[in-house]
Amino acid sequence: MDGIRGLFRRPRQDANVVRLRRRKNAAELIYRNLSKITTALFALGYLWMILIPIPPLSQGVYIDENALQPAQVNTNWNWQDVHQADTYLHYLEGLRDGNATSEQRAQFIRNEFIKLGLAASIQNYTFTASAGSVSGVNAYAVMTSPRASGSEAIVISASWLSEVGEELYNLRGVSIVLALSGFLKNYSLWAKDIVFVIGDNHLDGIHAWLNAYHGTIPSNLDTELLEHTSGVIWNALNIDYSGHSFSHLGVFFEGLNGRLPNQDLTNSLRLISHYTGGVPLVLYDHFEAHDAPQSSLLANAPEFVRQSPQLRELEYRVRNVKRHVSYQARGRPSGAHGLFHRFRIDAITLYAVPAIGPHGFFALGRIIESTLRTSNNLLERLHASFFFYILTSPGTFMKIGMFLPSAVLVGVAMMFWGLGRWVEAGWVREEGVDGSEWKGKEKNSAGVDLNARDANVRRVQPRWRPRRRPVLPALVTVLATHATGLLAFNIITTAWFLQHSTTSSSILFVALSLLPVLMLKLIPSHPREAAPFPMLLQSFNLCLASTVISITSLLNFSLAAM
């Protein structure tokens, strides 16, 4: 009976043989369809990027840190404080109309701080760069906390100049900071020091003050350490109010090299602006779809398309994502707040979108006071919410897990393509009959023939011959091109290049154009038994690009996508 069962029992194959055969079949399947797989990955990745603004990929914002309690306080900012802000504005307009120097403006602001009983001083600075030197004078003051040891601080800042909108001077932003310094000093509820900073120009003043505050003065900055300092800065609010009045409050949040503040800060501002100030919050200076004028992108479309609320909402989201990507990919801060992110300080800029009413100093003062009260509640740094996100609208955002796979898919496609070229470089395919191999010679550990039925059938298959892969010329070419790019970058940032930009640009263009031709002459010709140089160079570049994109996407998605 056992002998009969043995005749019908299927031979049991060795587990190692099965695993190796399965792995070989999978590798052959991937290699045969490599072009289809890479094309599908590229298409899926770029399609995902294009679909980022659509509503189904976003979700509503929410507060993660329970200690914040935004919009839960009764504000004390009143019309008497608004009158004080108007008084400061009158004095500042006189300084502007009289062409006052940076020194005169800073001295006036410092004296006003001192009149309020604050520890105040000025800071002279000079940045030396290849394009020339930039000088200015900052004014700042420190209001010590009556309820704490001064180990933690919040910053309220305003720059003298504004780069958003038509008005050049940020006079109302400086005025409300001065008015707030006198208003906030009247209350003993603060658990953190509050530092008031009026930076000269637009970005360089705040940049110089931050470096001096943290003792990280670079070699091209000529300044001294600050006379008055406080503790570790946790949060910062930068005020940009250049118009006469405003209808919406915009928020700018991108920092240097694409860094973003904790999302709880912008989410808290959204609630405070709506419930405390009664002001709609928008991203940047973009009006929402129902408030925006006629769409420029849909201007030439039919009437039913232009009036579609879904398409108008989609266009609004596209504008927000485009603006965010433009700031983040270039590594440029969207405002003076972005300079704080380098020191692990969560900061945003509050921008009063210019309009003919209905809001002014009263609404903005209440919003700033409530936001400071919210930050004052913190017992530790903001950490619970997201640091990697895309705000598609003031009330919706995308988590990193919803947009990161798009860049990763493109990186994986490049890696597969590069590895495929590497395999092709190491083997040469020759069509023919391999008469030395017979199906039927494969046996398992028990000695049972696995392919007895085809024992007398010869296998017709392509023959692969290995060949040498000279990687040194390709590797030297990759390193040389990167070194050339670094050298060109250092050249265009020199003072001589900027002074003679017309002549030097032409010379540099001709030199970089002739360099590839000269490098091709230096590359030795490869023998027939060696892999072609272009194939190896393409493999190296694809694998390197895939690695760079995959790593960069974790820190700066916009830069990786671009």
Side-chain angles (χ1 to χ4, degrees):
M1 194 67 179
D2 293 338
I4 296 175
R5 291 197 187 99
L7 293 175
F8 294 100
R9 184 181 299 149
R10 186 177 180 180
R12 185 176 182 180
Q13 299 183 13
D14 184 69
N16 294 328
V17 174
V18 174
R19 184 171 63 254
L20 292 175
R21 184 174 296 168
R22 188 184 300 117
R23 185 179 302 174
K24 179 181 178 181
N25 294 336
E28 290 178 354
L29 179 63
I30 293 175
Y31 184 77
R32 286 197 306 267
N33 300 280
L34 187 59
S35 60
K36 298 178 182 178
I37 294 175
T38 54
T39 303
L41 290 174
F42 274 123
L44 184 59
Y46 285 118
L47 181 62
W48 198 325
M49 292 182 189
I50 294 173
L51 296 178
I52 281 178
I54 65 173
L57 293 180
S58 303
Q59 67 180 84
V61 299
Y62 53 91
I63 302 293
D64 273 303
E65 181 58 68
N66 294 325
L68 287 172
Q69 298 296 309
Q72 300 297 313
V73 299
N74 295 320
T75 56
N76 300 306
W77 177 267
N78 54 40
W79 290 103
Q80 181 179 356
D81 303 304
V82 173
H83 174 70
Q84 186 63 45
D86 287 328
T87 303
Y88 284 128
L89 176 61
H90 173 72
Y91 290 138
L92 292 176
E93 287 176 341
L95 292 174
R96 178 200 61 188
D97 297 337
N99 293 323
T101 63
S102 297
E103 182 76 23
Q104 292 172 334
R105 295 195 304 261
Q107 289 287 358
F108 167 77
I109 295 171
R110 184 194 64 174
N111 293 337
E112 295 301 321
F113 282 140
I114 292 176
K115 290 178 183 178
L116 298 172
L118 302 177
S121 182
I122 61 174
Q123 176 202 12
N124 294 275
Y125 68 89
T126 300
F127 279 103
T128 303
S130 56
S133 60
V134 178
S135 301
V137 185
N138 297 325
Y140 65 96
V142 179
M143 188 189 81
T144 57
S145 168
R147 302 180 60 186
S149 60
S151 59
E152 301 156 2
I154 304 173
V155 170
I156 307 176
S157 65
S159 298
W160 182 253
L161 300 180
S162 172
E163 282 196 352
V164 185
E166 299 179 356
E167 182 64 35
L168 177 62
Y169 297 98
N170 184 27
L171 298 183
R172 286 174 174 77
V174 177
S175 300
I176 197 169
V177 172
L178 288 171
L180 282 167
S181 63
F183 164 74
L184 299 176
K185 191 176 182 297
N186 297 327
Y187 299 91
S188 60
L189 50 85
W190 304 109
K192 297 175 177 59
D193 290 356
I194 299 180
V195 183
F196 306 92
V197 183
I198 306 299
D200 205 355
N201 301 319
H202 177 53
L203 294 179
D204 49 275
I206 300 296
H207 186 36
W209 184 85
L210 280 170
N211 280 286
Y213 188 92
H214 293 91
T216 58
I217 301 176
S219 59
N220 67 330
L221 172 59
D222 182 18
T223 188
E224 297 179 354
L225 296 179
L226 302 180
E227 181 180 351
H228 305 289
T229 59
S230 181
V232 179
I233 302 173
W234 281 13
N235 301 324
L237 298 177
N238 185 64
I239 313 302
D240 192 340
Y241 183 12
S242 57
H244 181 272
S245 55
F246 63 97
S247 59
H248 295 71
L249 187 65
V251 57
F252 290 78
F253 52 93
E254 292 86 2
L256 280 173
N257 299 321
R259 295 192 64 169
L260 302 176
N262 190 274
Q263 196 183 351
D264 271 343
L265 187 60
T266 56
N267 295 344
S268 298
L269 176 65
R270 173 178 170 270
L271 295 176
I272 293 170
S273 179
H274 178 73
Y275 291 105
T276 300
V279 181
L281 184 74
V282 297
L283 296 182
Y284 315 112
D285 52 353
H286 298 164
F287 292 106
E288 292 198 64
H290 52 80
D291 296 329
Q294 183 60 53
S295 165
S296 58
L297 295 178
L298 304 176
N300 298 324
E303 180 68 20
F304 72 93
V305 175
R306 284 186 280 119
Q307 298 301 327
S308 172
Q310 292 81 9
L311 291 179
R312 289 174 66 87
E313 177 67 20
L314 179 61
E315 189 217 1
Y316 173 68
R317 291 167 178 263
V318 170
R319 292 175 60 204
N320 292 335
V321 173
K322 180 182 176 182
R323 188 85 170 265
H324 172 76
V325 170
S326 67
Y327 284 127
Q328 198 176 37
R330 291 180 295 167
R332 185 178 182 274
S334 57
H337 69 278
L339 304 171
F340 288 84
H341 297 172
R342 173 190 170 198
F343 301 97
R344 181 56 182 88
I345 301 171
D346 296 305
I348 54 176
T349 288
L350 280 64
Y351 175 66
V353 181
I356 305 176
H359 305 294
F361 281 136
F362 182 72
L364 185 59
R366 296 183 65 194
I367 292 172
I368 296 174
E369 179 194 355
S370 184
T371 305
L372 291 174
R373 296 276 296 274
T374 297
S375 299
N376 190 61
N377 293 334
L378 289 175
L379 301 177
E380 53 185 340
R381 286 182 182 271
L382 290 172
H383 65 280
S385 190
F386 298 95
F387 286 96
F388 301 97
Y389 53 87
I390 295 178
L391 288 177
T392 54
S393 72
T396 58
F397 78 105
M398 290 184 66
K399 296 180 179 179
I400 185 174
M402 294 301 295
F403 59 82
L404 182 63
S406 59
V408 173
L409 287 173
V410 175
V412 171
M414 287 186 174
M415 181 62 72
F416 278 8
W417 193 1
L419 294 178
R421 299 297 286 172
W422 175 258
V423 173
E424 291 177 9
W427 296 87
V428 179
R429 182 171 179 171
E430 296 179 351
E431 297 291 343
V433 179
D434 188 356
S436 62
E437 293 188 9
W438 292 79
K439 290 184 179 181
K441 290 188 177 182
E442 298 181 7
K443 297 183 179 182
N444 61 11
S445 58
V448 179
D449 194 347
L450 300 179
N451 298 301
R453 294 178 302 173
D454 301 324
N456 297 322
V457 179
R458 292 194 176 193
R459 181 166 53 185
V460 179
Q461 63 175 11
R463 185 176 180 180
W464 293 91
R465 177 173 58 83
R467 62 179 173 182
R468 186 166 55 88
R469 287 178 287 210
V471 300
L472 186 59
L475 184 60
V476 170
T477 303
V478 172
L479 295 177
T481 52
H482 282 75
T484 303
L486 181 61
L487 178 63
F489 176 79
N490 290 328
I491 290 175
I492 64 177
T493 55
T494 59
W496 178 86
F497 184 91
L498 296 174
Q499 293 173 359
H500 309 83
S501 58
T502 304
T503 305
S504 54
S505 299
S506 302
I507 296 174
L508 184 61
F509 177 77
V510 172
L512 294 178
S513 300
L514 295 176
L515 185 61
V517 179
L518 298 176
M519 291 187 65
L520 288 176
K521 298 293 184 180
L522 298 176
I523 297 173
S525 59
H526 67 280
R528 294 189 60 183
E529 65 274 5
F533 170 78
M535 188 178 293
L536 291 172
L537 184 61
Q538 184 184 24
S539 174
F540 278 22
N541 285 333
L542 286 170
C543 293
L544 179 61
S546 172
T547 304
V548 171
I549 288 175
S550 301
I551 295 175
T552 308
S553 62
L554 295 172
L555 304 175
N556 191 333
F557 170 78
S558 301
L559 180 60
M562 297 295 286

